[in-house]
Amino acid sequence: MPAGEVVRVVEREAQVFRRLWRGSVFSSVLTPVLFLGAIGIGLGGLVDEASSDVAGLSYLVFVTPGLLAAGAMQSAAGESLWPVMAGHKWMRTYHAMVASPIRALDVYVGELAWTAVRTTIGAVAFLAVAAALGGVPSWWGLLAVPAAVLCACAFAAPLSAFAATQQTDVSFSVIMRLGIVPLFLFSGTFFPVTQLPAGLQPLAVASPLWHGVELCRMATTGTLSGARAVGHVAVLVAVVAAATWWGVRTFRRRLAE
Amino acid sequence: MTDQHHLEAPAPSARASALGAIVAGRRPLKLVERNAMAYRRSWYVFVAGFFEPVLYLLSIGIGVGALVGDLPGPGGQPIGYEVFVAPGLLAAAAMNGAIFDTTFNFFVKYKYAHTYDAVLATPLSVHDVALGEVIWALLRGAAYSAAFLVAMVVLGLVQSPWAVLALPVAVLIGFAFAGAGLAATTWMRSFIDFDYVMLAMVPMFLFSATFFPLDRYPTAIGWLVRATPLYQGVALERALVLGGVSWGLLVHVAYLAALGAGGVWIATRRLGRLLQP
């Protein structure tokens, strides 16, 4: 794959972002920080006073990596549905791209790479605030940034592939409300999945977000164990790879229309 | 009668004006009917809105609640955390339902779909549009609040007979935010401005004593929280659902009613200028 074309797509998105970044600060940095303040510190104070430490951690330390991974997932999901519809149908920017030497494959991979760049910025900003508030006890926490970015890509890759198959955006808000919100609330973000009813635990463990949260939590608490970390990374990489295979096909089909 | 008199409006008889008032009273409902029909093809978007507050109740209320244990209730007796958080989520759900219909959806119809240009070409007036949109938002909010209340009853989170008033109060909370949302939307220039709506809603959702009691805040910030409209709704709902009703609650009712009425009044005046230049 000639990487030059992919870089051009990323460059184009970066140019747009340079003018519009203010709006995304709220959704990708400020919202997770507000959740950290309300749930991590406010509600966490009640949890800590009830002296039930969560998996041996203070509640703030427990919830920080959860919010990091979940925030990356949420912003990646939002950026992979409506903007992809805009690229194909509403503004047809992707059609303009493929009228140049850029191919459908470059568009898809380039957009995915841009999601990775954007989530990196958001994750670094969130982690810095969380560390200042005492939510990141270990320097290994720096590794939570690539973990969150990988988790974001595991959602951006299949969702943008799916968005390219749609003619209207009605299904998107249903995906957000009935897919992304339940994952946000039940993937070990706010409480350990072992608290879920036994029948639901395998479901939570199947979600890419749970693997992302576990990876981030190992990193921020400095409890990385080789075998388990490799397992989580392998699951997330497999999701990205399979979704990329699908996405290249849906983008090709859509842009050949 | 000469020809030129045909151009002048006839003086309304008492009967005609009474009839006119009835017809005018129903005109906003035509807009409600229009909105309901517009949702017929995407009813599942409407239905999806039921689940979000219930999911928050299960995750934060019951999941995290298991880690929190009991809190002191209104009479000092201990109550489970999920009992504490449920009325807060009910108020927040009423706010969310009302805000989305009167800001995002209203803006699309007003600015991009030009729905109201078509509506105003009928006998409906700007006043009917503002009132109709608020009524629609209230009906939708009432449906969501009622469903959430049923979930609360099923989970055993209702402790007082005063809870029968929880649904009307949820509609009042919806009215306050629908009016405020509609008025704010008349100042919006593009979708970028909706970041300000979220900038107001997300902190209110998280910090209006929804998830933890007011006494967790330093005194000064506690008073800031008391001033927010969502806190008024949370305090009302919590008193009704947990017991602890007093005349003082009428202050919250007055605050919310004034916010809603003021919002509708401002929105009607500004819409008149925006839609009929």
Side-chain angles (χ1 to χ4, degrees), chain B residues 241-269:
Chain B
V241 171
L242 303 185
V245 174
S246 70
W247 288 107
L249 294 181
L250 290 176
V251 176
H252 302 312
V253 173
Y255 179 118
L256 293 170
L259 181 63
V264 172
W265 184 72
I266 292 172
T268 307
R269 279 175 55 104

Side-chain angles (χ1 to χ4, degrees), chain A residues 20 22-24 26 30-31 34-35 37-39 42-43 45-47 49-50 52-54 59 170-171 173-174 177-178 181-182 184-186 190-192 195, chain B residues 42 44-45 48-52 55-56 58-60 62-64 66-69 71 81 100 140 144 192 195 198-199 202-203 205-207 211-213 216:
Chain A
L20 299 177
R22 282 176 196 82
S24 73
F26 179 72
L30 203 54
T31 303
L34 289 171
F35 267 86
I39 307 294
L43 180 51
L46 294 173
V47 174
E49 275 169 34
S52 53
D53 60 276
V54 193
Y59 191 68
V170 282
S171 59
S173 64
V174 177
R177 279 164 177 245
L178 298 187
V181 170
F184 170 64
L185 291 169
F186 297 100
F190 295 107
F191 57 90
Q195 268 179 245
Chain B
S42 48
Y44 43 89
V45 176
F50 283 112
F51 292 101
E52 197 163 314
L55 292 173
Y56 267 89
L58 295 176
S59 169
I60 309 283
I62 294 178
V64 182
L67 304 168
V68 175
L71 294 178
Y81 178 71
F100 280 107
R140 189 174 176 178
Y144 289 157
I192 312 246
D195 287 330
M198 298 309 287
L199 201 58
V202 175
F205 171 61
L206 290 169
F207 294 101
F211 293 108
F212 50 93
R216 307 292 301 178

